[in-house]
Amino acid sequence: MKKADIFEFYRRLAELNPSPETELEFGNTYQLLVAVVLSAQATDVGVNKATRLLFQEVKTPQQMIDLGEDGLKQHIKTIGLFNGKAKNVIALSEILVRDFGGEVPADRDTLVELPGVGRKTANVVMNCAFGAETFAVDTHIFRVGNRTGLAPGKTVLAVEKSLEKNTPTPFRVGAHHWLILHGRYICKARTPECWRCPVDDLCRYKPKTPAPKGRGARASPPPGP
């Protein structure tokens, strides 16, 4: 995709949703970190259902340690891989208390050393909590990047590097959210809804999916914050 088309791609998404945010629910940076760790191979909706009561009780790493692994499991047992995730959350909480005074470090390299925190999780925390220009590539962004031609790459890291290189300055902080929402609600895995896509003329995907009978060429944009 040409530079001018990339700029226009983001401009249109930004116009529809000027202040994009993660759909995960959290009250502070620590809760965000926990939510993102829990969201691996799970939906944001499912994580939010599990953490609403949890986050009323637990707001700090020490409170999570006090809750304990078994107590945490009771809250998150509806989430996939909850046993391993509970173990990781307790372990990372202990490290935060021991080494960082209970605070989440604002450094990606430090974050990825925590149990259960990979590069994608660290990128989400850096972007959502600290406003860093990071690009957390999940399945939605990987698909959108390759399908549209915005950021083609054979690996998650290749797509991330492409986004880092080609995303224009005005859109770097919000890009991660716009692309996730676009992939989640319009550029869907099985059947992209090209007929209501605001950037269909810029996208390289062929053939475009036609509108279902009785539907117009455009619908409402993806949900905003």
Side-chain angles (χ1 to χ4, degrees), residues 48-68:
N48 289 339
K49 288 181 179 178
T51 58
R52 282 184 189 125
L53 289 177
L54 172 66
F55 287 165
Q56 289 178 23
E57 181 178 350
V58 174
K59 297 177 173 62
T60 68
Q62 186 59 58
Q63 289 174 340
M64 186 68 78
I65 296 169
D66 293 341
L67 176 65

Side-chain angles (χ1 to χ4, degrees), residues 7 9 14 26 35 41 50 57 67-68 77 80 98 108 118 151 155 165 167 198 206 214 220:
F7 188 94
F9 187 103
F26 62 96
Q41 300 183 51
E57 181 178 350
L67 176 65
K77 59 187 177 182
R98 185 189 71 212
R108 182 169 65 185
T155 66
K165 179 181 178 181
T167 300
K206 306 288 183 182
S220 58

Side-chain angles (χ1 to χ4, degrees), residues 20-170:
E21 296 179 356
T22 178
E23 293 188 319
L24 289 171
E25 298 173 2
F26 62 96
N28 59 37
T29 303
Y30 171 68
Q31 290 181 339
L32 170 65
L33 174 60
V34 171
V36 181
V37 169
L38 296 178
S39 71
Q41 300 183 51
T43 66
D44 287 0
V45 172
V47 171
N48 289 339
K49 288 181 179 178
T51 58
R52 282 184 189 125
L53 289 177
L54 172 66
F55 287 165
Q56 289 178 23
E57 181 178 350
V58 174
K59 297 177 173 62
T60 68
Q62 186 59 58
Q63 289 174 340
M64 186 68 78
I65 296 169
D66 293 341
L67 176 65
E69 188 174 327
D70 288 340
L72 176 56
K73 286 180 182 179
Q74 291 305 307
H75 283 281
I76 66 170
K77 59 187 177 182
T78 56
I79 300 175
L81 308 175
F82 72 93
N83 285 312
K85 290 176 181 178
K87 183 177 180 179
N88 285 332
V89 168
I90 296 298
L92 72 83
S93 298
E94 292 172 341
I95 292 172
L96 292 179
V97 169
R98 185 189 71 212
D99 298 341
F100 300 99
E103 298 295 323
V104 177
D107 179 77
R108 182 169 65 185
D109 292 339
T110 303
L111 286 171
V112 296
E113 296 298 321
L114 296 173
V117 179
R119 186 179 180 90
K120 184 186 77 172
T121 296
N123 279 336
V124 172
V125 173
M126 290 301 299
N127 180 270
C128 296
F130 304 114
E133 295 178 352
T134 55
F135 303 86
V137 179
D138 68 349
T139 56
H140 295 299
I141 292 183
F142 186 80
R143 178 175 68 254
V144 170
N146 279 285
R147 181 183 277 169
T148 65
L150 178 72
K154 293 184 179 180
T155 66
V156 165
L157 185 59
V159 171
E160 179 185 335
K161 293 299 183 183
S162 182
L163 289 171
E164 285 182 346
K165 179 181 178 181
N166 298 321
T167 300
T169 298

Side-chain angles (χ1 to χ4, degrees), residues 10 20 127 132-135 170-180:
Y10 282 118
N127 180 270
E133 295 178 352
T134 55
F135 303 86
F171 310 114
R172 294 181 69 82
V173 173
H176 154 249
H177 301 294
W178 286 314
L179 296 179
I180 283 179

